Amino acid sequence: IVEAESEQFVYMNPAFTEMTGYTMADIPTQKLSFLQGPDTNPDTVAQLRAALAEQVDFQGEILNYRRDGTPFWSLMRISPIKDSAGVVTHYAGILSDISWQKRSQEERQAHHNQLAHVTRVASMGELTAALAHELNQPLTAIMSNAQAALRFLDRETPDVGEVREILQDIVADDRRAGETMRRIRRLVKRDVSQFRRLDVNRLVKEVQVLTRQDLVMKKLVFQARLAPDLPAVQGDAVQLQQVILNLVMNASQAMQSIDGGEGCITITTRCLNERTVEITASDSGPGIDDRMLEKIFETFFTTKANGLGMGLAINRTLVETHGGRLWAEIGPGQGAIFH
Ligand code: ADP
């Protein structure tokens, strides 16, 4: 409890001493700000000050410091106490230590981001390895058969029958390669029977939460312009979220390549008709050369040093499994737009 006029402590309970390390004898006579330290948010302090000046209740999360200098997050609630004439004489404050809640919140967020990243990298790495392994065999067979056929043709009297057999082998190997591609496609597509009714706006909001920390660190803004009257769609939440997440990651990487100015990613949702919802991702990055608008969707096409070139190819397959389309456009001003 603090006296209003002098801002001096008149009472503190043992729990306060235990939490902060301060006793009545330690409290500096003048300043009420003794609990604040270098990383205390000045905006929160300003709100607290404003509430005191207006003689109203204050409640907020604030980073405070113990007597030994260690910081702790606390929930601070302060209320004015009035005398019978209605004059504020004292303030009563309650401090709750919420450090562990803050910590577990941050850990959860970090874990979430990590998980999203690992899943993405792992699935792409696996897919690339599988593709390389499975295609290597038929490609090697096609090559040696074609070389054999050339040797047969180079003979003085070419054996057409031999060459025909060899060409049939080549056709079979090519079919095998095609079948491998289809199998891998099916792997990516998963099962249509897992489709559920989905709220597209919710998917966008979840991606926003998932990428928040990463984008804040890169000083990028995520703007969601969500249509309020969207019909539900049939789909696989994980797959559609993977598509949106990938578009956001690409936008964030594209914007990092231009320096200065705060980049902005905007995800818009729109109802085209009762059967179709459109999701648009636009950014303020360098955009896409108009000759590249189709090429970027090709498997293994990348302009990044560490890129795999699988993201947009997988995205397109996933969207098409949902009966949709995915295409890119050059923005009216700057940046790329994906529909
Ligand atoms: P990766 O991200 O591994 O390069 P993607 O298939 O996701 O693979 O992207 C292919 C290429 O498309 C990128 O290397 C980049 O050149 C281009 N691209 C994708 N998104 C954007 C964007 N938002 N702005 C500019 N270029 C982009």
Side-chain angles (χ1 to χ4, degrees):
I1 297 192
V2 177
E3 202 197 19
E5 184 117 4
S6 66
E7 293 197 348
Q8 277 193 20
F9 263 74
V10 294
Y11 173 75
M12 64 174 64
N13 66 2
F16 183 90
T17 300
E18 199 179 313
M19 190 187 299
T20 65
Y22 288 105
T23 64
M24 280 297 282
D26 297 318
I27 303 297
T29 44
Q30 285 305 324
K31 285 205 190 126
L32 198 54
S33 57
F34 65 91
L35 285 174
Q36 294 152 21
D39 287 328
T40 307
N41 186 345
D43 293 342
T44 316
V45 176
Q47 283 163 19
L48 168 73
R49 279 281 155 201
L52 290 185
E54 287 168 36
Q55 307 193 330
V56 294
D57 286 354
F58 169 84
Q59 173 166 323
E61 291 181 2
I62 187 166
L63 188 70
N64 280 327
Y65 287 75
R66 296 191 184 86
R67 188 169 179 224
D68 63 10
T70 53
F72 68 104
W73 274 99
S74 50
L75 176 67
M76 205 172 202
R77 278 166 290 186
I78 298 176
S79 302
I81 301 173
K82 295 176 182 168
D83 65 11
S84 52
V87 177
V88 174
T89 59
H90 294 83
Y91 287 99
I94 299 175
L95 211 58
S96 318
D97 189 336
I98 55 166
S99 298
W100 69 273
Q101 280 153 303
K102 277 272 172 195
R103 233 184 348 261
S104 63
Q105 199 181 333
E106 277 162 18
E107 274 166 14
R108 257 203 316 275
Q109 180 79 41
H111 181 72
H112 223 99
N113 287 351
Q114 228 172 15
L115 198 70
H117 183 73
V118 168
T119 327
R120 209 166 80 102
V121 171
S123 56
M124 288 198 186
E126 274 166 26
L127 212 59
T128 315
L131 258 181
H133 180 77
E134 298 253 351
L135 289 182
N136 203 32
Q137 243 181 323
L139 282 178
T140 311
I142 287 171
M143 173 62 103
S144 57
N145 271 330
Q147 281 169 335
L150 283 175
R151 274 199 306 276
F152 276 115
L153 287 175
D154 281 343
R155 286 189 188 161
E156 265 172 40
T157 46
D159 187 338
V160 179
E162 280 288 356
V163 173
R164 176 172 295 118
E165 262 177 45
I166 290 175
L167 286 176
Q168 275 160 354
D169 278 351
I170 290 179
V171 170
D173 279 327
D174 194 274
R175 284 226 176 89
R176 211 144 55 89
E179 182 50 40
T180 300
M181 293 301 287
R182 274 189 292 280
R183 263 214 327 275
I184 287 177
R185 277 235 174 79
R186 274 203 297 275
L187 197 107
V188 179
K189 277 183 181 171
R190 278 207 256 147
D191 195 356
V192 188
S193 65
Q194 295 188 1
F195 280 15
R196 305 258 181 283
R197 274 171 72 85
L198 298 174
D199 173 1
V200 171
N201 286 344
R202 202 168 136 201
L203 295 181
V204 174
K205 278 187 226 152
E206 280 168 6
V207 171
Q208 194 170 22
V209 172
L210 214 60
T211 53
R212 183 168 294 151
Q213 215 164 33
D214 191 43
L215 296 182
V216 165
M217 245 154 42
K218 292 175 179 160
K219 294 194 162 47
L220 300 174
V221 179
F222 187 127
Q223 213 177 14
R225 292 205 191 125
L226 308 177
D229 52 352
L230 281 192
V233 300
Q234 289 287 333
D236 181 317
V238 175
Q239 290 184 355
L240 288 183
Q241 228 166 26
Q242 197 180 333
V243 173
I244 304 170
L245 184 67
N246 193 266
L247 293 177
V248 172
M249 299 280 222
N250 271 348
S252 129
Q253 283 167 355
M255 287 190 289
Q256 274 200 303
S257 62
I258 47 173
D259 40 24
E262 286 212 332
C264 183
I265 303 165
T266 308
I267 303 278
T268 312
T269 58
R270 200 152 70 96
C271 173
L272 291 188
N273 57 55
E274 75 270 23
R275 289 181 45 81
T276 318
V277 168
E278 183 183 56
I279 308 173
T280 308
S282 59
D283 62 54
S284 56
I288 300 160
D289 189 309
D290 60 356
R291 283 164 307 178
M292 294 292 170
L293 287 179
E294 263 310 305
K295 209 161 173 56
I296 53 172
F297 290 96
E298 286 174 14
T299 316
F300 301 128
F301 175 83
T302 180
T303 55
K304 297 167 194 167
N306 298 317
L308 276 176
M310 297 286 286
L312 288 176
I314 293 179
N315 275 1
R316 187 169 255 182
T317 309
L318 292 177
V319 170
E320 284 172 0
T321 319
H322 282 78
R325 285 201 307 135
L326 175 68
W327 73 98
E329 194 189 307
I330 322 169
Q334 208 188 12
I337 305 182
F338 286 86
H339 296 275

